Amino acid sequence: KACHSEITSNFDQKGKFFSTFQADLAKADSIFVAKGWRNPSTGLWNASSSKPLVVTQNQAAAMYAYQVLLEDKSNGIHNPKYARAILDNILAEITK
């Protein structure tokens, strides 16, 4: 279902918010995949009761925050400054 279909302006015109946000979200995903934490085929985390994923508390928080941004499906526009800060924090944590 379309979200805010009455809005006709392109939010990417000033500062490329959407394209930058989407690129950074994809970058985070590729880092999660490279670390073996996320399955690129299923989009699920590589963890189970028989094979737990061992990460730090901050890494787990980054994984959770990533999932929240992903599931929101607004690409950050519902609260752009907050969403951008979350994504920046995710990238900072997983690129250490």
Coordinates of all heavy atoms in Angstrom, one line a residue:
K1 N 0.9 -1.2 0.0 CA 0.0 0.0 0.0 C 0.9 1.2 0.0 O 1.9 1.3 0.7 CB -0.9 0.0 1.2 CG -2.0 1.0 1.2 CD -3.0 0.7 2.3 CE -4.1 1.7 2.2 NZ -5.1 1.5 3.3
A2 N 0.6 2.2 -0.8 CA 1.4 3.4 -0.9 C 1.3 4.2 0.4 O 0.3 4.3 1.0 CB 0.9 4.3 -2.0
C3 N 2.5 4.7 0.8 CA 2.6 5.5 2.0 C 2.6 7.0 1.6 O 3.5 7.4 0.8 CB 3.9 5.1 2.7 SG 4.2 6.1 4.2
H4 N 1.8 7.8 2.2 CA 1.7 9.2 1.9 C 1.6 9.5 0.4 O 2.4 10.2 -0.2 CB 2.9 9.9 2.5 CG 3.1 9.7 3.9 ND1 2.3 10.3 4.8 CD2 4.0 9.0 4.6 CE1 2.6 10.0 6.1 NE2 3.7 9.2 6.0
S5 N 0.7 8.8 -0.3 CA 0.6 9.0 -1.7 C 0.2 10.4 -2.2 O 0.4 10.8 -3.3 CB -0.5 8.0 -2.3 OG -1.8 8.3 -1.6
E6 N -0.2 11.3 -1.2 CA -0.5 12.6 -1.6 C 0.7 13.5 -1.8 O 0.7 14.6 -2.3 CB -1.4 13.3 -0.5 CG -0.7 13.6 0.8 CD -0.6 12.4 1.7 OE1 -1.0 11.3 1.4 OE2 -0.1 12.6 2.9
I7 N 1.9 13.0 -1.3 CA 3.1 13.7 -1.5 C 3.7 13.5 -2.9 O 3.9 12.4 -3.3 CB 4.2 13.3 -0.4 CG1 3.6 13.6 1.0 CG2 5.5 14.0 -0.7 CD1 4.5 13.1 2.1
T8 N 3.9 14.6 -3.6 CA 4.4 14.4 -5.0 C 5.8 14.9 -5.2 O 6.4 14.6 -6.2 CB 3.5 15.3 -5.9 OG1 3.5 16.6 -5.5 CG2 2.0 14.7 -5.9
S9 N 6.4 15.6 -4.2 CA 7.7 16.0 -4.4 C 8.7 14.9 -4.2 O 8.5 13.9 -3.6 CB 8.1 17.1 -3.4 OG 8.1 16.6 -2.1
N10 N 9.9 15.0 -4.9 CA 10.9 14.0 -4.8 C 11.9 14.4 -3.7 O 12.6 15.4 -3.8 CB 11.6 13.9 -6.1 CG 12.7 12.9 -6.2 OD1 13.1 12.3 -5.1 ND2 13.2 12.6 -7.3
F11 N 11.9 13.6 -2.6 CA 12.7 13.9 -1.5 C 14.2 13.8 -1.8 O 15.1 14.2 -1.0 CB 12.4 13.0 -0.3 CG 11.1 13.3 0.4 CD1 10.0 12.6 0.1 CD2 11.0 14.4 1.2 CE1 8.8 12.9 0.7 CE2 9.8 14.8 1.8 CZ 8.7 14.0 1.6
D12 N 14.5 13.2 -2.9 CA 15.9 13.0 -3.3 C 16.5 14.3 -4.0 O 17.7 14.4 -4.2 CB 16.1 11.8 -4.3 CG 17.0 10.8 -3.8 OD1 17.5 10.9 -2.7 OD2 17.3 9.9 -4.5
Q13 N 15.7 15.3 -4.2 CA 16.1 16.4 -5.0 C 17.1 17.3 -4.1 O 18.1 17.8 -4.7 CB 15.0 17.3 -5.4 CG 14.1 16.7 -6.5 CD 12.9 17.5 -6.8 OE1 12.5 18.4 -6.1 NE2 12.2 17.1 -7.9
K14 N 16.9 17.4 -2.9 CA 17.8 18.2 -2.0 C 18.6 17.3 -1.1 O 18.2 16.8 -0.1 CB 17.0 19.2 -1.2 CG 16.3 20.2 -2.0 CD 15.5 21.2 -1.2 CE 14.7 22.1 -2.1 NZ 13.9 23.1 -1.3
G15 N 19.9 17.1 -1.5 CA 20.8 16.3 -0.6 C 20.8 14.8 -0.9 O 21.5 14.1 -0.2
K16 N 20.0 14.4 -1.8 CA 20.0 12.9 -2.1 C 19.7 12.0 -0.9 O 20.4 11.0 -0.7 CB 21.3 12.5 -2.8 CG 21.6 13.3 -4.0 CD 20.7 12.9 -5.2 CE 21.1 13.6 -6.4 NZ 20.1 13.6 -7.4
F17 N 18.8 12.4 -0.1 CA 18.5 11.7 1.2 C 18.2 10.2 0.9 O 18.8 9.3 1.4 CB 17.3 12.3 2.0 CG 17.0 11.5 3.2 CD1 17.8 11.7 4.4 CD2 16.1 10.5 3.2 CE1 17.5 11.0 5.5 CE2 15.8 9.8 4.4 CZ 16.5 10.0 5.5
F18 N 17.2 9.9 0.0 CA 16.8 8.5 -0.2 C 18.0 7.7 -0.8 O 18.2 6.6 -0.4 CB 15.6 8.5 -1.2 CG 14.3 8.6 -0.5 CD1 13.3 9.4 -1.1 CD2 14.0 8.0 0.7 CE1 12.1 9.5 -0.5 CE2 12.8 8.2 1.3 CZ 11.8 8.9 0.7
S19 N 18.6 8.2 -1.9 CA 19.6 7.4 -2.5 C 20.8 7.2 -1.6 O 21.3 6.0 -1.5 CB 20.1 8.1 -3.8 OG 20.5 9.4 -3.6
T20 N 21.2 8.1 -0.8 CA 22.3 7.9 0.2 C 21.8 7.0 1.3 O 22.6 6.1 1.7 CB 22.7 9.3 0.8 OG1 23.1 10.2 -0.2 CG2 23.8 9.1 1.8
F21 N 20.6 7.1 1.8 CA 20.1 6.2 2.8 C 20.0 4.8 2.3 O 20.5 3.9 3.0 CB 18.7 6.7 3.3 CG 18.3 6.0 4.6 CD1 18.6 6.6 5.8 CD2 17.5 4.9 4.5 CE1 18.2 5.9 7.0 CE2 17.1 4.2 5.7 CZ 17.4 4.8 6.9
Q22 N 19.5 4.6 1.1 CA 19.4 3.3 0.6 C 20.8 2.7 0.3 O 21.0 1.5 0.6 CB 18.6 3.3 -0.7 CG 17.1 3.6 -0.5 CD 16.4 3.8 -1.8 OE1 16.9 4.4 -2.7 NE2 15.1 3.5 -1.8
A23 N 21.7 3.5 -0.1 CA 23.1 3.0 -0.4 C 23.7 2.5 0.9 O 24.4 1.5 1.0 CB 23.9 4.0 -1.1
D24 N 23.6 3.3 2.0 CA 24.2 3.0 3.3 C 23.5 1.8 3.9 O 24.1 1.0 4.6 CB 24.2 4.2 4.2 CG 25.2 5.2 3.8 OD1 26.1 4.9 3.0 OD2 25.2 6.4 4.3
L25 N 22.2 1.7 3.7 CA 21.5 0.5 4.2 C 22.0 -0.8 3.5 O 22.2 -1.8 4.2 CB 20.0 0.7 4.0 CG 19.0 -0.2 4.9 CD1 19.2 0.1 6.4 CD2 17.6 0.1 4.5
A26 N 22.2 -0.7 2.2 CA 22.7 -1.8 1.4 C 24.2 -2.1 1.9 O 24.6 -3.2 2.0 CB 22.7 -1.5 0.0
K27 N 24.9 -1.0 2.2 CA 26.3 -1.2 2.7 C 26.3 -2.0 4.0 O 27.1 -2.9 4.2 CB 27.0 0.1 2.9 CG 28.4 0.1 3.4 CD 29.0 1.4 3.5 CE 30.4 1.4 4.1 NZ 30.9 2.7 4.3
A28 N 25.4 -1.6 4.9 CA 25.3 -2.3 6.2 C 24.9 -3.8 5.9 O 25.5 -4.7 6.5 CB 24.2 -1.6 7.1
D29 N 24.0 -4.0 5.0 CA 23.6 -5.4 4.7 C 24.8 -6.2 4.2 O 25.1 -7.3 4.6 CB 22.5 -5.5 3.7 CG 22.0 -6.9 3.5 OD1 21.5 -7.5 4.5 OD2 22.1 -7.4 2.4
S30 N 25.6 -5.6 3.3 CA 26.7 -6.3 2.8 C 27.8 -6.6 3.8 O 28.4 -7.6 3.8 CB 27.3 -5.5 1.6 OG 27.9 -4.3 2.0
I31 N 27.9 -5.7 4.8 CA 28.9 -6.0 5.9 C 28.4 -7.1 6.8 O 29.1 -8.0 7.1 CB 29.1 -4.7 6.7 CG1 29.8 -3.6 5.9 CG2 29.9 -5.0 8.0 CD1 29.9 -2.2 6.5
F32 N 27.1 -7.1 7.1 CA 26.5 -8.2 7.8 C 26.7 -9.6 7.1 O 27.0 -10.6 7.7 CB 25.0 -8.0 8.1 CG 24.7 -6.9 9.1 CD1 23.8 -5.9 8.8 CD2 25.3 -6.9 10.4 CE1 23.4 -5.0 9.8 CE2 25.0 -6.0 11.3 CZ 24.1 -5.0 11.0
V33 N 26.5 -9.6 5.8 CA 26.7 -10.8 5.0 C 28.1 -11.2 5.0 O 28.5 -12.4 5.2 CB 26.1 -10.6 3.6 CG1 26.6 -11.7 2.7 CG2 24.6 -10.4 3.6
A34 N 29.0 -10.2 4.8 CA 30.5 -10.5 4.8 C 31.0 -11.1 6.1 O 31.8 -12.0 6.2 CB 31.3 -9.3 4.4
K35 N 30.4 -10.7 7.2 CA 30.7 -11.2 8.5 C 30.1 -12.5 8.8 O 30.4 -13.2 9.8 CB 30.3 -10.2 9.6 CG 31.1 -8.9 9.7 CD 30.6 -8.0 10.8 CE 31.5 -6.7 10.9 NZ 32.8 -6.9 11.5
G36 N 29.2 -13.0 7.9 CA 28.6 -14.3 8.1 C 27.4 -14.2 9.0 O 26.9 -15.2 9.5
W37 N 26.9 -13.0 9.3 CA 25.8 -12.8 10.3 C 24.4 -12.9 9.6 O 23.4 -13.2 10.3 CB 25.9 -11.5 11.0 CG 27.1 -11.4 11.9 CD1 28.1 -12.3 12.2 CD2 27.6 -10.2 12.5 NE1 29.1 -11.8 12.9 CE2 28.8 -10.5 13.2 CE3 27.1 -8.9 12.5 CZ2 29.5 -9.5 13.9 CZ3 27.8 -7.9 13.3 CH2 29.0 -8.2 13.9
R38 N 24.4 -12.6 8.3 CA 23.1 -12.5 7.6 C 23.2 -13.3 6.3 O 24.2 -13.3 5.6 CB 22.8 -11.0 7.3 CG 21.4 -10.7 6.8 CD 21.2 -9.2 6.9 NE 20.0 -8.8 6.1 CZ 18.8 -8.9 6.5 NH1 18.5 -9.3 7.7 NH2 17.8 -8.5 5.8
N39 N 22.1 -14.0 6.0 CA 22.1 -14.9 4.8 C 21.5 -14.0 3.7 O 20.4 -13.5 3.7 CB 21.2 -16.1 5.1 CG 21.1 -17.0 3.9 OD1 21.0 -16.6 2.8 ND2 21.2 -18.3 4.2
P40 N 22.3 -13.8 2.6 CA 21.9 -12.9 1.5 C 20.7 -13.5 0.7 O 19.9 -12.8 0.1 CB 23.1 -12.8 0.6 CG 23.9 -14.0 0.9 CD 23.6 -14.3 2.4
S41 N 20.6 -14.8 0.7 CA 19.5 -15.5 0.0 C 18.1 -15.3 0.7 O 17.1 -15.1 0.1 CB 19.8 -17.0 -0.2 OG 21.0 -17.1 -0.9
T42 N 18.2 -15.5 2.0 CA 16.9 -15.5 2.7 C 16.6 -14.2 3.4 O 15.5 -13.9 3.8 CB 16.9 -16.6 3.8 OG1 17.9 -16.3 4.8 CG2 17.1 -18.0 3.3
G43 N 17.7 -13.4 3.6 CA 17.5 -12.1 4.4 C 17.4 -12.3 5.9 O 17.1 -11.4 6.6
L44 N 17.6 -13.6 6.3 CA 17.5 -13.9 7.7 C 18.9 -13.9 8.4 O 19.9 -14.0 7.7 CB 16.9 -15.3 7.9 CG 15.5 -15.4 7.4 CD1 15.0 -16.9 7.5 CD2 14.5 -14.5 8.1
W45 N 18.9 -13.7 9.7 CA 20.1 -13.8 10.5 C 20.6 -15.2 10.6 O 19.8 -16.2 10.7 CB 19.9 -13.2 11.8 CG 19.5 -11.7 11.7 CD1 18.3 -11.2 11.9 CD2 20.4 -10.6 11.4 NE1 18.3 -9.9 11.7 CE2 19.6 -9.5 11.3 CE3 21.7 -10.5 11.1 CZ2 20.0 -8.2 11.0 CZ3 22.2 -9.2 10.8 CH2 21.4 -8.1 10.8
N46 N 21.9 -15.5 10.5 CA 22.5 -16.8 10.6 C 22.6 -17.2 12.0 O 23.7 -17.3 12.6 CB 23.8 -16.8 9.9 CG 23.7 -16.7 8.4 OD1 22.7 -17.3 7.8 ND2 24.6 -16.1 7.7
A47 N 21.5 -17.5 12.7 CA 21.5 -18.0 14.1 C 20.4 -19.0 14.3 O 19.3 -18.9 13.7 CB 21.4 -16.8 15.0
S48 N 20.7 -19.9 15.1 CA 19.7 -20.9 15.5 C 20.0 -21.4 16.9 O 21.1 -21.1 17.4 CB 19.6 -22.1 14.5 OG 20.8 -22.8 14.6
S49 N 19.2 -22.2 17.5 CA 19.5 -22.7 18.8 C 20.6 -23.7 18.8 O 21.4 -23.8 19.7 CB 18.2 -23.3 19.4 OG 17.8 -24.4 18.6
S50 N 20.8 -24.4 17.7 CA 21.9 -25.3 17.6 C 23.2 -24.6 17.1 O 24.3 -25.2 17.3 CB 21.5 -26.4 16.6 OG 21.3 -25.9 15.3
K51 N 23.1 -23.4 16.5 CA 24.3 -22.7 16.1 C 24.1 -21.2 16.4 O 23.8 -20.4 15.5 CB 24.5 -22.9 14.6 CG 25.8 -22.3 14.1 CD 25.9 -22.5 12.6 CE 27.2 -21.8 12.1 NZ 27.2 -21.7 10.7
P52 N 24.3 -20.9 17.7 CA 24.0 -19.5 18.0 C 25.1 -18.5 17.4 O 26.2 -18.9 17.2 CB 24.1 -19.5 19.6 CG 24.9 -20.7 19.9 CD 24.7 -21.7 18.8
L53 N 24.6 -17.3 17.1 CA 25.5 -16.3 16.6 C 26.1 -15.5 17.8 O 25.3 -15.0 18.6 CB 24.7 -15.4 15.7 CG 25.4 -14.3 14.9 CD1 26.5 -14.9 14.0 CD2 24.4 -13.5 14.1
V54 N 27.4 -15.6 17.9 CA 28.0 -14.9 19.1 C 28.5 -13.5 18.6 O 29.4 -13.4 17.8 CB 29.2 -15.8 19.6 CG1 29.9 -15.1 20.8 CG2 28.7 -17.2 20.0
V55 N 27.9 -12.5 19.2 CA 28.2 -11.1 18.9 C 28.2 -10.4 20.2 O 27.7 -10.8 21.2 CB 27.3 -10.5 17.9 CG1 27.3 -11.2 16.5 CG2 25.8 -10.5 18.4
T56 N 28.8 -9.2 20.2 CA 28.8 -8.3 21.4 C 27.4 -7.7 21.5 O 26.6 -7.7 20.6 CB 29.8 -7.2 21.3 OG1 29.4 -6.3 20.2 CG2 31.2 -7.7 21.0
Q57 N 27.2 -7.1 22.7 CA 25.9 -6.4 22.9 C 25.7 -5.3 21.9 O 24.6 -5.2 21.4 CB 25.9 -5.9 24.3 CG 24.5 -5.3 24.7 CD 24.5 -4.8 26.2 OE1 25.4 -5.1 27.0 NE2 23.5 -4.1 26.5
N58 N 26.7 -4.6 21.6 CA 26.6 -3.5 20.7 C 26.3 -4.0 19.3 O 25.6 -3.3 18.5 CB 27.8 -2.5 20.7 CG 27.8 -1.7 21.9 OD1 26.8 -1.5 22.7 ND2 29.0 -1.1 22.2
Q59 N 27.0 -5.1 18.9 CA 26.7 -5.7 17.6 C 25.3 -6.2 17.5 O 24.6 -6.0 16.4 CB 27.7 -6.8 17.3 CG 29.1 -6.3 17.1 CD 30.2 -7.4 17.2 OE1 29.9 -8.5 17.8 NE2 31.3 -7.2 16.5
A60 N 24.8 -6.8 18.5 CA 23.4 -7.2 18.5 C 22.4 -6.1 18.4 O 21.4 -6.1 17.7 CB 23.1 -8.0 19.8
A61 N 22.8 -5.0 19.1 CA 21.9 -3.7 19.0 C 22.0 -3.2 17.6 O 20.9 -2.7 17.1 CB 22.4 -2.7 20.0
A62 N 23.1 -3.2 16.9 CA 23.2 -2.8 15.5 C 22.4 -3.7 14.6 O 21.7 -3.2 13.7 CB 24.7 -2.8 15.1
M63 N 22.4 -5.0 14.9 CA 21.6 -5.9 14.1 C 20.1 -5.6 14.3 O 19.3 -5.6 13.3 CB 21.9 -7.3 14.5 CG 23.3 -7.7 14.1 SD 23.9 -9.2 15.0 CE 22.8 -10.5 14.2
Y64 N 19.7 -5.4 15.5 CA 18.3 -5.1 15.8 C 17.9 -3.8 15.1 O 16.8 -3.7 14.5 CB 18.1 -5.0 17.3 CG 16.7 -4.7 17.7 CD1 15.7 -5.7 17.7 CD2 16.3 -3.4 18.0 CE1 14.4 -5.4 18.0 CE2 15.0 -3.1 18.4 CZ 14.0 -4.1 18.4 OH 12.7 -3.8 18.7
A65 N 18.7 -2.7 15.3 CA 18.4 -1.4 14.7 C 18.3 -1.5 13.2 O 17.4 -0.9 12.6 CB 19.4 -0.4 15.1
Y66 N 19.2 -2.3 12.6 CA 19.1 -2.5 11.1 C 17.8 -3.1 10.7 O 17.1 -2.7 9.8 CB 20.3 -3.4 10.7 CG 20.1 -3.9 9.3 CD1 20.6 -3.1 8.2 CD2 19.6 -5.1 8.9 CE1 20.4 -3.5 6.9 CE2 19.4 -5.5 7.6 CZ 19.9 -4.7 6.6 OH 19.7 -5.1 5.3
Q67 N 17.4 -4.1 11.5 CA 16.1 -4.8 11.2 C 14.9 -3.8 11.3 O 14.0 -3.9 10.5 CB 15.9 -6.0 12.1 CG 14.9 -7.0 11.6 CD 15.3 -7.7 10.3 OE1 16.5 -8.0 10.1 NE2 14.4 -7.9 9.4
V68 N 15.0 -3.0 12.3 CA 13.9 -2.0 12.5 C 13.8 -1.0 11.3 O 12.8 -0.8 10.8 CB 14.1 -1.2 13.8 CG1 13.2 0.1 13.9 CG2 13.9 -2.0 15.0
L69 N 15.0 -0.5 10.9 CA 15.0 0.4 9.7 C 14.5 -0.4 8.4 O 13.8 0.2 7.6 CB 16.4 0.9 9.4 CG 17.0 1.9 10.5 CD1 18.4 2.3 10.1 CD2 16.1 3.1 10.6
L70 N 14.9 -1.6 8.3 CA 14.6 -2.4 7.1 C 13.0 -2.6 7.1 O 12.4 -2.4 6.1 CB 15.3 -3.7 7.1 CG 15.3 -4.5 5.9 CD1 16.0 -3.8 4.8 CD2 16.0 -5.9 6.1
E71 N 12.5 -3.0 8.2 CA 11.1 -3.3 8.3 C 10.2 -2.1 8.3 O 9.0 -2.2 7.9 CB 10.8 -4.1 9.6 CG 11.4 -5.5 9.6 CD 10.9 -6.4 8.4 OE1 9.7 -6.3 8.1 OE2 11.7 -7.2 7.9
D72 N 10.7 -0.9 8.6 CA 9.9 0.3 8.5 C 9.5 0.6 7.1 O 8.4 1.1 6.8 CB 10.7 1.5 9.1 CG 10.0 2.8 8.9 OD1 8.9 2.9 9.4 OD2 10.6 3.7 8.3
K73 N 10.4 0.3 6.1 CA 10.1 0.4 4.7 C 9.9 1.8 4.2 O 9.5 2.1 3.1 CB 8.9 -0.5 4.3 CG 9.2 -2.0 4.5 CD 8.1 -2.8 3.9 CE 8.1 -4.3 4.2 NZ 9.2 -4.9 4.8
S74 N 10.2 2.8 5.1 CA 10.1 4.2 4.6 C 11.4 4.8 4.1 O 11.4 5.9 3.7 CB 9.6 5.1 5.8 OG 10.6 5.4 6.7
N75 N 12.5 4.0 4.2 CA 13.8 4.5 3.9 C 14.2 5.7 4.7 O 14.8 6.6 4.2 CB 13.9 4.7 2.4 CG 14.0 3.4 1.6 OD1 14.8 2.5 1.9 ND2 13.1 3.2 0.7
G76 N 13.7 5.7 5.9 CA 14.1 6.8 6.8 C 13.3 8.1 6.8 O 13.5 9.0 7.6
I77 N 12.3 8.2 5.9 CA 11.7 9.5 5.7 C 10.6 9.8 6.8 O 10.3 10.9 7.1 CB 11.0 9.6 4.3 CG1 10.8 11.0 3.9 CG2 9.7 8.8 4.3 CD1 12.0 11.8 3.8
H78 N 10.2 8.8 7.6 CA 9.2 9.1 8.6 C 9.9 9.9 9.8 O 9.2 10.6 10.5 CB 8.6 7.8 9.2 CG 7.6 7.2 8.3 ND1 7.5 5.8 8.1 CD2 6.7 7.7 7.4 CE1 6.6 5.6 7.2 NE2 6.1 6.7 6.8
N79 N 11.1 9.8 10.0 CA 11.9 10.6 10.9 C 13.3 10.6 10.4 O 14.2 9.9 11.0 CB 11.8 9.9 12.3 CG 12.2 10.9 13.4 OD1 12.9 11.9 13.2 ND2 11.8 10.6 14.7
P80 N 13.6 11.4 9.4 CA 14.9 11.3 8.7 C 16.1 11.6 9.6 O 17.1 10.9 9.4 CB 14.8 12.3 7.6 CG 13.6 13.1 7.9 CD 12.7 12.4 8.8
K81 N 16.1 12.5 10.4 CA 17.3 12.8 11.3 C 17.6 11.6 12.2 O 18.7 11.2 12.4 CB 17.1 14.1 12.0 CG 17.2 15.3 11.2 CD 17.0 16.6 12.0 CE 17.1 17.8 11.1 NZ 16.9 19.0 11.8
Y82 N 16.5 11.1 12.8 CA 16.7 10.0 13.7 C 17.1 8.7 13.0 O 18.1 8.0 13.4 CB 15.4 9.7 14.5 CG 15.4 8.7 15.5 CD1 16.4 8.7 16.6 CD2 14.6 7.6 15.4 CE1 16.4 7.7 17.5 CE2 14.6 6.6 16.4 CZ 15.5 6.7 17.4 OH 15.6 5.7 18.4
A83 N 16.5 8.4 11.8 CA 16.8 7.3 11.0 C 18.3 7.4 10.5 O 19.0 6.4 10.6 CB 15.9 7.1 9.9
R84 N 18.7 8.5 10.1 CA 20.0 8.7 9.6 C 21.0 8.5 10.8 O 22.1 7.9 10.6 CB 20.2 10.1 9.1 CG 21.6 10.4 8.5 CD 21.7 9.7 7.2 NE 22.8 8.7 7.3 CZ 23.2 7.9 6.3 NH1 22.6 8.0 5.2 NH2 24.2 7.1 6.5
A85 N 20.7 9.0 12.0 CA 21.6 8.8 13.1 C 21.7 7.3 13.5 O 22.8 6.8 13.8 CB 21.1 9.6 14.3
I86 N 20.6 6.6 13.4 CA 20.6 5.2 13.7 C 21.5 4.5 12.7 O 22.3 3.6 13.1 CB 19.2 4.6 13.6 CG1 18.3 5.1 14.8 CG2 19.2 3.0 13.6 CD1 16.9 4.7 14.7
L87 N 21.3 4.8 11.4 CA 22.1 4.1 10.4 C 23.6 4.4 10.5 O 24.4 3.6 10.4 CB 21.6 4.5 9.0 CG 22.2 3.8 7.8 CD1 22.2 2.3 8.0 CD2 21.4 4.2 6.5
D88 N 23.9 5.7 10.8 CA 25.3 6.0 11.1 C 25.9 5.2 12.2 O 27.0 4.8 12.2 CB 25.4 7.5 11.3 CG 25.2 8.4 10.1 OD1 25.2 7.8 9.0 OD2 24.9 9.6 10.2
N89 N 25.1 5.1 13.3 CA 25.6 4.3 14.5 C 25.8 2.8 14.1 O 26.7 2.2 14.6 CB 24.6 4.5 15.6 CG 24.7 5.9 16.3 OD1 25.7 6.5 16.2 ND2 23.6 6.3 16.9
I90 N 24.9 2.3 13.3 CA 25.0 0.9 12.9 C 26.3 0.7 12.1 O 27.1 -0.2 12.4 CB 23.8 0.5 12.0 CG1 22.5 0.4 12.8 CG2 24.1 -0.8 11.3 CD1 21.3 0.3 11.9
L91 N 26.5 1.6 11.1 CA 27.8 1.5 10.3 C 29.0 1.7 11.2 O 30.0 1.0 11.0 CB 27.7 2.5 9.2 CG 26.7 2.2 8.1 CD1 26.6 3.4 7.1 CD2 27.1 0.9 7.3
A92 N 29.0 2.6 12.1 CA 30.1 2.8 13.0 C 30.4 1.6 13.8 O 31.6 1.2 14.0 CB 29.9 4.0 13.9
E93 N 29.4 0.9 14.3 CA 29.6 -0.3 15.1 C 30.1 -1.5 14.3 O 31.0 -2.2 14.8 CB 28.3 -0.7 15.8 CG 28.4 -1.8 16.8 CD 29.5 -1.7 17.8 OE1 29.6 -0.6 18.4 OE2 30.2 -2.7 18.1
I94 N 29.5 -1.7 13.2 CA 29.9 -2.9 12.4 C 31.1 -2.8 11.6 O 31.6 -3.7 11.0 CB 28.7 -3.4 11.6 CG1 28.3 -2.5 10.5 CG2 27.6 -3.8 12.5 CD1 27.2 -3.0 9.6
T95 N 31.7 -1.6 11.5 CA 32.9 -1.4 10.7 C 34.1 -1.2 11.6 O 35.2 -0.9 11.1 CB 32.8 -0.2 9.8 OG1 32.5 1.0 10.5 CG2 31.8 -0.4 8.7
K96 N 34.0 -1.4 12.9 CA 35.1 -1.3 13.9 C 36.1 -2.4 13.6 O 35.8 -3.5 13.2 CB 34.6 -1.5 15.3 CG 33.9 -0.3 15.8 CD 33.5 -0.5 17.2 CE 32.8 0.7 17.8 NZ 32.4 0.5 19.2

